[in-house]
Amino acid sequence: MEFNRSLILRMISFLIGFSLLLYIFSETDGKLIDYISEIGFDVFIVLFLTYCSILVFDIIRLLYVFHPYKEEVTFASLRGAILAPSLNMLLPARAGDVNALVTSKSSSWAVGQRTRNLVLLRLTDVMILATFSFVLINFYFSNWLLVALMVCAMIGYVLAFKYLPSMVAKFAGVLNFEIGDASKNKVTSGKYVSSLGLSFLFWIFQGSFTYFLIISMGVSDIGFIAVISILSFATLSKSLPITPGGIGLYEGILAISLSEFGSIESAAATSLALMDGVFRYLFTSIIPWVFLTVFPKPKGGEEE
């Protein structure tokens, strides 16, 4: 029976991944193959490996804020973290984060505590993206404005860490969720600082992906810092709940930003933005399901 459950899970994961691949192929009118041919198969492999690193970082970050000790990570919680990037891309309302939160029940932290850590993680993402985006302001406005915005961002970090736990605790109290005594939880402070470092590296890899893509298209007169700043500015647009995963809105803002701030011709910027969006959608939505297809469940695994 256990073998059948594992086999069924792998078959379902494979079918979902394959269906998503067909969907992307049809939505791009078959241009997906043209995109891969245009950048070259070797560059495609580099982009694939870079994005695998991005997904691994994202999975590690989720497990890190949901479990105080690595021994508590079960197959169910690992599977939830693996699927989180794909579900966040495909569905609205951060469905992947919610699923990962629910499947992390093996953690010794109460659900309210894990919810707080998740909110802090995503708030950290917003702060880092905003910080990178400030570089654009430095290029086109004044240094003093940049300094002022950086100071505001740092104040936001402190306020989020100090006051958000009590806010989540009140919300958890209404739902009868146990939050625990945050003042006695010294592990959380360390994890918040560590997750800040992981998030910083995570977005550096995100910028590297777009930078490699731009370089592969023969555009060499744009710097790495500029690419990260432009990408961060475009990624912030995903915060607007207009389309699932910010699809369409992200590509549009990325194209305009590359053209206006990156001095790339409008047609080339649009092509790069579309390729970036297609490859990100392809890798994010499919790789987790393919990984679950081949990921071996440990013998004697826990009940799910």
Side-chain angles (χ1 to χ4, degrees):
M1 176 63 68
E2 191 63 35
F3 170 77
N4 290 337
R5 287 179 59 191
S6 178
L7 180 62
I8 291 174
L9 172 63
R10 295 183 182 192
M11 290 180 61
I12 293 175
S13 300
F14 174 79
L15 289 175
I16 292 177
F18 186 72
S19 299
L20 289 171
L21 179 61
L22 291 179
Y23 172 76
I24 295 174
F25 185 81
S26 63
E27 285 298 305
T28 57
D29 297 325
K31 292 182 179 180
L32 178 60
I33 303 299
D34 295 336
Y35 288 157
I36 297 176
S37 301
E38 189 172 355
I39 64 173
F41 185 73
D42 54 340
V43 176
F44 180 79
I45 294 299
V46 172
L47 293 176
F48 173 80
L49 294 177
T50 302
Y51 215 82
C52 283
S53 300
I54 292 172
L55 293 177
V56 168
F57 261 102
D58 208 13
I59 293 168
I60 292 175
R61 292 193 311 155
L62 283 175
L63 294 176
Y64 195 72
V65 299
F66 285 153
H67 299 275
Y69 309 105
K70 63 181 181 180
E71 293 79 10
E72 295 179 354
V73 178
T74 62
F75 179 77
S77 58
L78 177 59
R79 187 174 64 191
I82 291 173
L83 289 180
S86 179
L87 295 179
N88 283 335
M89 173 70 77
L90 298 171
L91 302 173
R94 307 295 300 186
D97 286 349
V98 175
N99 179 67
L101 174 65
V102 172
T103 56
S104 63
K105 57 185 179 182
S106 61
S107 173
S108 57
W109 277 334
V111 65
Q113 175 74 49
R114 304 197 304 273
T115 303
R116 178 187 71 172
N117 293 347
L118 177 61
V119 172
L120 286 172
L121 176 65
R122 295 313 178 196
L123 182 59
T124 300
D125 284 339
V126 173
M127 292 297 181
I128 290 177
L129 289 172
T131 302
F132 283 139
S133 299
F134 293 162
V135 178
L136 289 180
I137 298 176
N138 185 35
F139 287 159
Y140 293 94
F141 296 95
S142 68
N143 292 332
W144 287 110
L145 179 58
L146 171 65
V147 172
L149 291 174
M150 290 288 288
V151 170
C152 291
M154 294 304 298
I155 293 175
Y157 281 124
V158 175
L159 293 178
F161 181 72
K162 186 173 182 180
Y163 294 108
L164 188 60
S166 60
M167 295 174 59
V168 176
K170 292 180 181 179
F171 176 75
V174 173
L175 299 179
N176 295 321
F177 286 159
E178 180 185 355
I179 185 64
D181 189 349
S183 63
K184 296 180 179 179
N185 191 351
K186 298 181 180 180
V187 179
T188 303
S189 301
K191 280 190 172 290
Y192 180 75
V193 174
S194 300
S195 66
L196 179 62
L198 286 173
S199 297
F200 182 80
L201 292 175
F202 172 77
W203 289 109
I204 290 294
F205 271 92
Q206 291 275 16
S208 300
F209 178 87
T210 303
Y211 183 73
F212 290 152
L213 179 61
I214 292 176
I215 295 300
S216 70
M217 297 298 292
V219 179
S220 58
D221 55 348
I222 183 171
F224 180 65
I225 299 300
V227 172
I228 293 182
S229 301
I230 291 172
L231 176 71
S232 300
F233 184 70
T235 303
L236 284 175
S237 67
K238 293 184 178 182
S239 302
L240 301 175
I242 299 177
T243 61
I247 299 173
L249 182 64
Y250 164 81
E251 288 81 2
I253 294 182
L254 181 61
I256 294 175
S257 300
L258 286 173
S259 178
E260 293 294 327
F261 304 127
S263 300
I264 299 177
E265 293 184 2
S266 179
T270 301
S271 178
L272 284 170
L274 289 175
M275 292 176 65
D276 183 87
V278 168
F279 285 140
R280 286 180 182 276
Y281 190 89
L282 172 69
F283 294 147
T284 305
S285 60
I286 295 178
I287 289 177
W289 296 99
V290 175
F291 185 73
L292 283 182
T293 303
V294 299
F295 190 84
K297 181 175 180 179
K299 294 182 179 180
E302 78 287 344
E303 286 294 326
E304 301 178 20

